[in-house]
Amino acid sequence: AQTVTQSQPEMSVQEAETVTLSCTYDTSESDYYLFWYKQPPSRQMILVIRQEAYKQQNATENRFSVNFQKAAKSFSLKISDSQLGDAAMYFCAYRRRNNDMRFGAGTRLTVKP
Amino acid sequence: DGGITQSPKYLFRKEGQNVTLSCEQNLNHDAMYWYRQDPGQGLRLIYYSQIVNDFQKGDIAEGYSVSREKKESFPLTVTSAQKNPTAFYLCASSKDRDLNYGYTFGSGTRLTVV
């Protein structure tokens, strides 16, 4: 089974600074998709960013960007100019074509004012 | 606005009781999913359904049951066979299992055994 590993249970960042959350995954597939979800205290899951494995270009959404290293099976999330509203649990997820989504255990991000 | 509605937000179950969690979507999505969230374990798949009247077990289906009689609805029943049901339950949907779509999630149901 595919597994997703987030090695940082907790991270903290100073407001306006940059932080990177790590994610690695295990798969033998070549065609798949990767996602980062944010879960704030309300517990509503919000899609932050997605990446197609066949695309070499790293995805970017405003202050959020990824560093996708396919050979290393690594998919880290970089948050620039961190804001207080970024404080949340962040989940990395993997989805293979014709299959369901697999999630990591999550990283709790704290933003310090 | 379209979305997924889960109800109730909080649910309490006595030992030996079955309870049903509701999940309704008006997004015209084909696939629906139930996940369980426990601290430190991320989200684990309970059941999923790609089309009406069809569903498959996920990784932790024991003690749970589902139905998919309508495209919009995918209720989850937590039976008395589920020995540790206290958890946060999330329902999700996606337009099509084949495509590169993330999931749309409901706001969740917190189930507590009393």
Side-chain angles (χ1 to χ4, degrees):
Chain A
Q2 292 77 27
T3 59
V4 180
T5 303
Q6 294 180 249
S7 60
Q8 307 153 315
E10 296 183 356
M11 291 283 285
S12 67
V13 62
Q14 204 72 32
E15 194 176 5
E17 297 296 313
T18 296
V19 64
T20 298
L21 308 184
S22 300
C23 174
T24 59
Y25 57 95
D26 180 28
T27 184
S28 57
E29 302 291 326
S30 60
D31 186 18
Y32 52 88
Y33 310 101
L34 297 163
F35 304 84
W36 277 98
Y37 278 89
K38 170 185 178 180
Q39 188 181 44
S42 68
R43 306 202 77 169
Q44 178 70 54
M45 295 284 281
I46 302 165
L47 178 64
V48 175
I49 199 165
R50 79 182 83 200
Q51 173 81 43
E52 294 93 334
Y54 63 87
K55 287 188 176 180
Q56 293 185 336
Q57 186 174 3
N58 290 324
T60 299
E61 289 287 345
N62 301 314
R63 297 183 295 107
F64 298 87
S65 61
V66 299
N67 182 6
F68 174 47
Q69 301 290 329
K70 190 171 184 179
K73 298 179 183 177
S74 172
F75 183 60
S76 60
L77 175 70
K78 185 173 81 172
I79 306 174
S80 304
D81 185 26
S82 296
Q83 301 175 0
L84 295 178
D86 295 333
M89 282 289 288
Y90 286 83
F91 292 97
C92 177
Y94 162 100
R95 187 179 190 190
R96 179 164 59 92
R97 188 176 289 276
N98 294 325
N99 217 310
D100 54 272
M101 195 175 292
R102 299 283 161 162
F103 292 83
T107 296
R108 181 174 302 280
L109 178 66
T110 302
V111 180
K112 299 178 180 179
Chain B
D1 290 338
I4 297 182
T5 301
Q6 287 188 245
S7 62
K9 190 175 179 66
Y10 299 97
L11 186 58
F12 297 90
R13 191 194 93 168
K14 294 182 179 180
E15 295 283 350
Q17 278 186 339
N18 293 352
V19 292
T20 297
L21 284 59
S22 172
C23 178
E24 303 276 336
Q25 54 99 357
N26 60 2
L27 300 164
N28 198 33
H29 282 177
D30 299 306
M32 297 187 74
Y33 310 83
W34 274 106
Y35 283 87
R36 170 177 170 146
Q37 186 177 11
D38 295 283
Q41 295 194 50
L43 279 67
R44 293 183 291 167
L45 183 66
I46 304 173
Y47 268 99
Y48 63 93
S49 169
Q50 293 178 263
I51 57 173
V52 174
N53 292 323
D54 185 57
F55 46 83
Q56 286 77 43
K57 294 181 179 180
D59 298 323
I60 56 167
E62 184 176 353
Y64 300 97
S65 65
V66 294
S67 63
R68 186 87 185 274
E69 298 178 0
K70 299 185 300 181
K71 187 175 184 178
E72 301 79 18
S73 178
F74 191 41
L76 173 74
T77 296
V78 184
T79 74
S80 57
Q82 171 51 238
K83 298 306 179 187
N84 185 24
T86 294
F88 186 67
Y89 291 86
L90 280 164
C91 179
S93 70
S94 66
K95 184 172 176 59
D96 190 291
R97 230 168 166 251
D98 294 335
L99 304 179
N100 178 23
Y101 284 98
Y103 290 177
T104 300
F105 283 88
S107 56
T109 294
R110 174 69 183 177
L111 173 62
T112 303
V113 173
V114 296

